[in-house]
Amino acid sequence: MCSACRIRRLGVCSGADEKGLDQLELRKTYRRYAPGERMASAGLDLPQIGTVLSGTATLSRTQDRGTRQIVGLLQKGDILGRPWRHTTPFDVEALTPVEVCAFRTPVFEDLLDQMPGLRTRMIEMIQDDLDAARTMMTILGRKTAREKIVSFLVHLALRQNSTPERGACEVDMMLSREQIADILSLTFETVSRQIMDLERAGLIVPRTRRIFCIPELQALIQLSGDDHDGALIDC
Amino acid sequence: MCSACRIRRLGVCSGADEKGLDQLELRKTYRRYAPGERMASAGLDLPQIGTVLSGTATLSRTQDRGTRQIVGLLQKGDILGRPWRHTTPFDVEALTPVEVCAFRTPVFEDLLDQMPGLRTRMIEMIQDDLDAARTMMTILGRKTAREKIVSFLVHLALRQNSTPERGACEVDMMLSREQIADILSLTFETVSRQIMDLERAGLIVPRTRRIFCIPELQALIQLSGDDHDGALIDC
DNA sequence: CGAACGCTTGACACTCTTCAAGACATGTGG
DNA sequence: CCACATGTCTTGAAGAGTGTCAAGCGTTCG
């Protein structure tokens, strides 16, 4: 039941009223993807539009030379697919098991036409993605490796700890060194070195390879290179 | 008269029907900005939404340290401002004299609510901006200075010469070395050096400081670093 | 004519990548 | 349980590509 959906207040569908939800109810299909599974390929047809219910997927493009750039992470509530555009310009790949609530593209376009609230919400979400992408542009082009790693850690910390008190907190990077490198446009060696440096400086304390304690979040923020407004890729 | 507007088929308003145009007609205001004029400031209120009629403006953010990243160019047909978001996260600055057809934000939101076609077009345009921004992410992070400059030239060449024959053509970079540097995340010295190198290699032939002949566009495309799909920032 | 601006060029420093090797953890088959 | 393979991560040394700083040239404009 849509009205009891765990992302009811998060996804596009939060723009739908009760009557609209009934419409969605009738047309939706659930899909599951296994870790590593290709959910869509750059340049190819993508005949569905969906909302991520759980799990994480990457949006990326790989160059001829083999370097990869991750341009977005799809998480709970994020949209996969594009209305009125029948191909997708990026590869989409499941990182963890992913559940998607999907509609065939023409069906979803009809729903958008009929439901003003849905369309409004859609505009808001894409706009936020756009802002996040542009913010990433400023990070990729103008920050040092150190600042990139710190910005990434701060972003995750603020996201994962809803209390923005800037004191001690814990952060789970979730991703491998290589995946972080593909997001921040670095090599995995550089990522590893920067993380080690932060450890040796006592700014982060390892719990596991990917989970860290941050004794003083404020100290990290000051190393991040600018006024941290929190909008990194993911939305 | 909207129906005779020079960007009738280009901007958001191309999503409006004849009756809708009458609505727009009643509410629109024209604004002009001089070169160098600040049209909006990051973090501040932006109580209007408009379409650029002529001229060019930059969308950028400047870091504490003084480095600037241009995240988009606003040209004829592009949208300035954001529905349902009352501040803007980037600075907007007129590069040339700019004319804008503007609406107060709440007014434009009402129009979006009433006109499905307008809303559909809005989604398409923001979506295209998002794709362009993400493509720029792959360029900023993963290309060399040479590839960045070449990609930029190729992009402009394809845009300015509607004939995509890949033979000889001419291209006007319009921007100063410094502005190009701010788009591609380089220094203006590096931009200058790369352009000189391309000249010395005979890949481009200067007509003025900012206008070049390209004897063999195909040759440039092969230096650009990947399959060139043309989507750079600007839309 | 001088000032201001945009552009070119050189020398040098430095960050990050590249290439290479090894440590650590986990899982598999004998 | 061990031997081994595999994937992830750390570390080192060397080198390439850009940034930085500095100087000078050409053009435009007052």
Side-chain angles (χ1 to χ4, degrees):
Chain A
M1 278 267 295
C2 281
S3 53
C5 180
R6 66 194 120 168
I7 59 155
R8 171 77 182 94
R9 311 235 139 265
L10 215 57
V12 239
C13 36
S14 66
D17 52 22
E18 289 303 320
K19 219 174 92 193
L21 278 192
D22 295 342
Q23 297 263 2
L24 297 177
E25 190 83 45
L26 292 169
R27 316 298 204 91
K28 72 184 180 186
T29 317
Y30 288 138
R31 296 181 182 283
R32 289 171 170 283
Y33 300 89
E37 190 174 350
R38 178 69 68 97
M39 297 166 65
S41 293
L44 300 186
D45 262 26
L46 178 56
Q48 59 164 328
I49 295 181
T51 298
V52 175
L53 297 175
S54 68
T56 304
T58 60
L59 216 59
S60 70
R61 187 177 290 168
T62 302
Q63 287 173 314
D64 303 340
R65 130 186 14 146
T67 55
R68 189 166 86 123
Q69 177 66 48
I70 295 178
V71 297
L73 291 182
L74 296 182
Q75 294 186 310
K76 181 166 60 169
D78 291 336
I79 301 170
L80 163 68
R82 326 190 299 150
W84 297 289
R85 294 283 184 273
H86 292 174
T87 63
T88 179
F90 294 94
D91 295 322
V92 184
E93 211 178 302
L95 220 61
T96 65
V98 172
E99 287 178 292
V100 174
C101 172
F103 302 82
R104 288 193 307 109
T105 300
V107 169
F108 194 77
E109 286 164 3
D110 282 348
L111 293 172
L112 280 176
D113 278 339
Q114 293 158 30
M115 300 164 58
L118 200 62
R119 219 160 11 193
T120 299
R121 181 78 183 117
M122 188 87 188
I123 291 177
E124 287 185 331
M125 292 183 70
I126 303 179
Q127 181 74 57
D128 288 344
D129 282 351
L130 176 57
D131 292 339
R134 286 176 167 164
T135 296
M136 275 308 288
M137 286 174 58
T138 71
I139 291 176
L140 293 181
R142 295 299 193 189
K143 288 199 178 183
T144 63
R146 163 65 51 93
E147 289 168 340
K148 286 180 181 178
I149 296 289
V150 171
S151 296
F152 187 65
L153 278 167
V154 169
H155 174 68
L156 290 179
L158 291 177
R159 232 178 106 78
Q160 290 172 13
N161 302 273
S162 44
T163 38
E165 33 174 79
R166 274 108 205 269
C169 62
E170 207 170 282
V171 59
D172 181 354
M173 331 202 15
M174 295 175 303
L175 307 169
S176 70
R177 304 290 189 258
E178 182 169 19
Q179 287 160 345
I180 297 171
D182 286 344
I183 291 178
L184 299 177
S185 282
L186 298 169
T187 59
F188 68 88
E189 294 98 324
T190 299
V191 172
S192 178
R193 276 187 254 265
Q194 294 298 335
I195 290 177
M196 286 293 107
D197 287 351
L198 290 174
E199 280 185 23
R200 281 186 278 267
L203 289 161
I204 60 178
V205 181
R207 297 196 66 75
T208 75
R209 280 271 170 80
R210 299 183 183 182
I211 301 181
F212 298 88
C213 283
I214 301 179
E216 271 290 346
L217 184 54
Q218 189 58 46
L220 273 191
I221 291 177
Q222 274 159 3
L223 286 181
S224 73
D226 63 3
D227 46 326
H228 196 81
D229 60 356
L232 230 64
I233 61 169
D234 70 24
C235 119
Chain B
M1 278 263 300
C2 280
S3 54
C5 181
R6 66 196 120 165
I7 59 155
R8 170 79 181 93
R9 312 235 138 269
L10 214 57
V12 241
C13 36
S14 67
D17 52 22
E18 290 303 321
K19 217 173 93 195
L21 279 193
D22 295 341
Q23 297 263 2
L24 296 179
E25 191 82 43
L26 292 171
R27 314 298 204 95
K28 73 184 178 187
T29 317
Y30 288 137
R31 294 181 185 282
R32 291 171 169 284
Y33 300 89
E37 191 174 350
R38 178 70 67 97
M39 298 166 63
S41 293
L44 300 188
D45 262 27
L46 178 56
Q48 59 166 326
I49 294 182
T51 298
V52 175
L53 297 175
S54 68
T56 305
T58 59
L59 217 58
S60 70
R61 187 177 290 169
T62 302
Q63 287 173 315
D64 302 339
R65 125 186 20 142
T67 56
R68 188 167 86 125
Q69 178 66 49
I70 294 177
V71 297
L73 291 182
L74 296 182
Q75 294 186 312
K76 181 165 60 172
D78 291 336
I79 302 170
L80 162 68
R82 328 191 296 152
W84 297 288
R85 293 284 184 271
H86 292 175
T87 63
T88 178
F90 294 95
D91 295 322
V92 184
E93 210 179 302
L95 220 60
T96 65
V98 172
E99 287 178 292
V100 175
C101 173
F103 302 82
R104 287 193 308 109
T105 301
V107 169
F108 194 77
E109 285 164 4
D110 282 347
L111 293 171
L112 280 175
D113 279 339
Q114 292 159 30
M115 301 163 59
L118 200 63
R119 220 161 12 192
T120 299
R121 180 77 184 118
M122 188 88 189
I123 290 177
E124 286 184 331
M125 291 184 71
I126 304 180
Q127 180 73 60
D128 289 343
D129 282 351
L130 175 57
D131 291 340
R134 285 175 168 165
T135 296
M136 275 307 288
M137 284 174 59
T138 71
I139 291 176
L140 293 181
R142 294 301 193 187
K143 288 199 177 185
T144 63
R146 164 64 51 91
E147 289 168 338
K148 286 180 181 179
I149 296 289
V150 171
S151 296
F152 187 65
L153 279 166
V154 170
H155 174 69
L156 289 178
L158 292 177
R159 229 179 108 80
Q160 291 173 11
N161 303 271
S162 44
T163 39
E165 30 175 83
R166 273 110 206 268
C169 62
E170 206 170 280
V171 59
D172 181 354
M173 329 200 19
M174 297 176 302
L175 308 169
S176 70
R177 305 290 189 257
E178 183 170 19
Q179 286 160 348
I180 297 171
D182 286 344
I183 291 177
L184 299 176
S185 282
L186 297 169
T187 59
F188 68 87
E189 294 99 325
T190 299
V191 172
S192 178
R193 277 187 254 266
Q194 293 298 334
I195 290 177
M196 288 292 107
D197 286 352
L198 290 174
E199 279 185 24
R200 282 187 276 267
L203 289 162
I204 62 178
V205 181
R207 295 195 69 74
T208 74
R209 281 273 168 78
R210 299 184 184 182
I211 301 180
F212 298 87
C213 282
I214 302 178
E216 273 289 346
L217 183 54
Q218 188 58 46
L220 273 192
I221 292 177
Q222 274 158 3
L223 286 181
S224 74
D226 63 2
D227 48 323
H228 196 81
D229 61 356
L232 230 63
I233 61 167
D234 69 26
C235 124

